[in-house]
Amino acid sequence: MSAAHCFSSDTTSRWQVSLGRQNLQGNNSNEVSTTVARIILHPNYDSVTNNNDIALLRLSSPVNFTDYIRPVCLAASDSVFSNGTDSWVTGWGAVKEGVSLPFPETLQEVELSVLGNSQCDCLNGVGTVTDNMICAGVLAGGKDSCQGDSGGPMVNQQGSVWVQSGIVSFGFGCARPNLPGVYSRVSICQSWINSHISSDKPGFVQFTSSGLDADSSYTCPGPPPSTTTSSTTRPSTTQILTSPARAVCGNAPMNSRALGDSGVVPGGTWPWMVSLHKNGVYTCGGTLIAERFVLTSAQCVSTSNPDVSEWSVFFGQHLVDGSEEFEMSLGVVNITVSNMTDSNIALLQLTKPVSFKDHIQPVCMDVSASRTFPVGSRCWVAGWENGSKSFSTDKAGSGLRDLETQVASCGDLSDSENICTYTMDLQQGDQGSPLLCKSDSSWFQVAVVTMSGSKSVRADVQVFAKTSRFGSLLKETVGDMPSPEVAATGNAAGFSISLFLYFVVPVTSVFLLSGS
Ligand code: 4AZ
């Protein structure tokens, strides 16, 4: 049993399962390895919400049980895990955010307490935790599962028997205070698991917790935690562009996106989003990066000699909820395309400068590559997923959407050239859209979505070329760019014990951004 998000498909050929293993490096005298005959992903697994994040692997041949290799019991459907239930999580994942387990990568364990679903949902952002999930952690932070622990178990002891209650699934960062980790709830899946195993079914055990479950009466205290600056915490910042003063970038005064928010976005949320139309047809997303420049993917302009007269740029999208209304549009006088080896960008120079308002603002560009976006940082992609459809006469549900993700480790790939995130369901219409991450109090566009085939780190990780790669072209073409508001904010980092998944993962596999 593992997590569905560990698998990009049900293709078994590159997978191997190791059992009885203690270290990932060196010899393990008790180890047995086997290949996989079938990968069964939960049919209702949702990669956006992580709901039903469970998979079953049928091994190619039965394994013999030893003192080192034994099956765990599974929590039966009528199990109860009350707030505070003692739990253990094991794995070979990162020992804290962005820090992998040191040589020889010995299996780690951490003791955590179950946290009730209502409280966990309040803490992680209302709507993130479903009944198919179970949470555990310590509110003070410092102990958690982390990247690479996914698919591994959370177990609870009842008498002399260990019962698996959860599968490591997701969390915001690792070991941060008040952000408990989220696990797939095994007990909910009893009938689904049994339906795929005909003989030698797992041992389901009813787990019962003593004591009252305080969670059933829990309600969120105050407003849910917000990761973005809202107009209530900062005065509205309408920038007037009188030279020589530089405009401020990366301010989104109307943005109230909170942790876990993904989907159709209210007007003004991402004030730098523009939509690019070629001969009147929606073609790509783009971003306003200066009063006269828009950034998009080179693939959107495709031809080497683009005709500027075909293009128009729409600003101030979606001010009226539920309809596609734009504040205004402008033409293009010049298109500059970068000339690097894999991903490329295009810069569209506008016919006249745009005046910034609360809902029309430039995003920050890290031209000098001085910003870091550590593993676990929350980032968003905003875009019009199936663009051309969105701009048809059918206006229902056709607005700008966004997807939340987290920065993941790029493995062996250069961190200065690339940024890696957990896989999102990107569509063709997202081409040219930004990957947006906050640094201090400003929003930065860290990458442009392109639909080209891409490198891979792990099956659940997407690689983007950092926009800072194009720093010199940006400076040359755009000149002085708006700069972020100066702010000093500290970053708290906790310690977590490390865990990683049970399988020896092929470290490189070809990953293609979905272009369907
Ligand atoms: C991960 O990326 C991951 N703190 C797993 C668990 C948690 C965070 C990240 C929970 O595999």
Side-chain angles (χ1 to χ4, degrees):
M1 188 164 73
S2 183
H5 85 255
C6 295
F7 304 90
S8 55
S9 77
D10 57 8
T11 307
T12 56
S13 52
R14 295 163 65 111
W15 288 96
Q16 200 183 16
V17 178
S18 308
L19 305 100
R21 191 160 179 163
Q22 187 176 26
N23 300 331
L24 290 187
Q25 307 287 337
N27 284 343
N28 284 261
S29 48
N30 305 306
E31 178 188 349
V32 169
S33 290
T34 171
T35 54
V36 175
R38 250 194 96 190
I39 296 176
I40 305 162
L41 305 177
H42 195 287
N44 300 329
Y45 165 58
D46 183 334
S47 60
V48 175
T49 61
N50 293 305
N51 205 12
N52 300 299
D53 189 9
I54 176 171
L56 292 173
L57 309 194
R58 186 177 182 83
L59 305 182
S60 305
S61 55
V63 285
N64 291 325
F65 298 150
T66 67
D67 283 350
Y68 298 90
I69 302 174
R70 277 166 187 262
V72 68
C73 295
L74 301 184
S77 51
D78 45 4
S79 296
V80 177
F81 295 91
S82 302
N83 215 330
T85 304
D86 188 38
S87 307
W88 290 84
V89 180
T90 45
W92 291 275
V95 286
K96 57 183 188 176
E97 284 178 37
V99 181
S100 48
L101 182 59
F103 180 88
E105 300 188 279
T106 305
L107 182 65
Q108 305 285 304
E109 62 181 13
V110 69
E111 187 176 22
L112 304 170
S113 298
V114 169
L115 201 89
N117 275 38
S118 313
Q119 190 178 3
C120 186
D121 192 47
C122 298
L123 291 168
N124 276 300
V126 173
T128 44
V129 179
T130 70
D131 291 347
N132 303 324
M133 302 173 186
I134 180 170
C135 300
V138 285
L139 290 179
K143 297 207 293 181
D144 198 1
S145 49
C146 200
Q147 190 190 7
D149 294 321
S150 286
M154 170 160 83
V155 294
N156 308 76
Q157 194 174 26
Q158 183 159 260
S160 60
V161 172
W162 288 92
V163 180
Q164 183 171 354
S165 54
I167 302 166
V168 179
S169 180
F170 71 100
F172 294 105
C174 305
R176 299 186 190 188
N178 299 312
L179 283 173
V182 188
Y183 299 76
S184 314
R185 191 179 280 266
V186 171
S187 59
I188 294 278
C189 302
Q190 177 170 3
S191 54
W192 178 75
I193 294 169
N194 274 332
S195 74
H196 286 284
I197 307 178
S198 47
S199 57
D200 291 327
K201 286 188 197 293
F204 281 94
V205 167
Q206 183 190 358
F207 188 95
T208 47
S209 310
S210 49
L212 257 186
D213 192 357
D215 188 63
S216 45
S217 56
Y218 191 89
T219 49
C220 295
S226 167
T227 54
T228 52
T229 308
S230 72
S231 47
T232 54
T233 54
R234 194 192 312 164
S236 152
T237 46
T238 305
Q239 294 301 322
I240 310 295
L241 302 170
T242 46
S243 76
R246 272 214 233 165
V248 170
C249 62
N251 267 334
M254 298 169 74
N255 186 321
S256 57
R257 277 335 228 177
L259 220 152
D261 279 352
S262 284
V264 177
V265 300
T269 299
W270 302 112
W272 34 82
M273 281 305 295
V274 301
S275 76
L276 302 177
H277 295 225
K278 188 180 180 183
N279 295 317
V281 178
Y282 172 83
T283 306
C284 271
T287 44
L288 186 62
I289 59 166
E291 54 174 345
R292 278 191 99 119
F293 281 91
V294 160
L295 171 67
T296 188
S297 158
Q299 286 176 323
C300 296
V301 295
S302 59
T303 55
S304 53
N305 223 340
D307 181 358
V308 292
S309 69
E310 294 177 325
W311 289 91
S312 42
V313 180
F314 286 73
F315 299 85
Q317 174 270 342
H318 209 286
L319 273 177
V320 182
D321 276 351
S323 70
E324 283 302 331
E325 295 205 11
F326 287 84
E327 168 100 341
M328 59 149 191
S329 69
L330 284 179
V332 174
V333 291
N334 217 337
I335 299 183
T336 311
V337 178
S338 66
N339 191 15
M340 310 255 289
T341 40
D342 34 65
S343 295
N344 278 295
I345 57 165
L347 291 165
L348 279 55
Q349 188 178 354
L350 304 168
T351 46
K352 59 174 198 179
V354 177
S355 41
F356 300 153
K357 327 200 156 124
D358 279 356
H359 57 279
I360 303 180
Q361 290 278 325
V363 69
C364 296
M365 303 296 300
D366 185 25
V367 281
S368 53
S370 57
R371 301 274 164 166
T372 53
F373 301 93
V375 165
S377 307
R378 285 174 285 255
C379 302
W380 275 261
V381 168
W384 288 272
E385 37 172 22
N386 22 11
S388 44
K389 257 189 266 161
S390 304
F391 285 84
S392 68
T393 48
D394 171 21
K395 296 193 168 183
S398 60
L400 180 66
R401 285 163 190 277
D402 60 8
L403 297 166
E404 189 197 4
T405 186
Q406 268 185 68
V407 175
S409 160
C410 278
D412 292 340
L413 289 179
S414 152
D415 277 330
S416 56
E417 297 275 284
N418 304 290
I419 182 148
C420 299
T421 70
Y422 288 99
T423 303
M424 289 159 284
D425 184 21
L426 297 174
Q427 305 289 330
Q428 187 61 43
D430 294 317
Q431 176 98 260
S433 293
L435 176 70
L436 300 161
C437 308
K438 216 171 194 182
S439 173
D440 294 330
S441 58
S442 305
W443 286 99
F444 280 78
Q445 176 166 1
V446 189
V448 181
V449 174
T450 56
M451 291 296 158
S452 54
S454 178
K455 304 174 203 120
S456 171
V457 181
R458 260 178 30 198
D460 61 340
V461 168
Q462 273 172 345
V463 184
F464 297 90
K466 273 193 180 166
T467 36
S468 54
R469 280 197 200 185
F470 308 100
S472 46
L473 179 77
L474 284 161
K475 276 184 247 172
E476 259 170 53
T477 312
V478 182
D480 265 0
M481 302 188 52
S483 47
E485 222 162 35
V486 187
T489 328
N491 252 351
F495 284 91
S496 70
I497 207 166
S498 88
L499 317 177
F500 185 47
L501 76 147
Y502 274 7
F503 313 116
V504 182
V505 185
V507 198
T508 48
S509 61
V510 178
F511 179 75
L512 292 171
L513 281 183
S514 140
S516 57

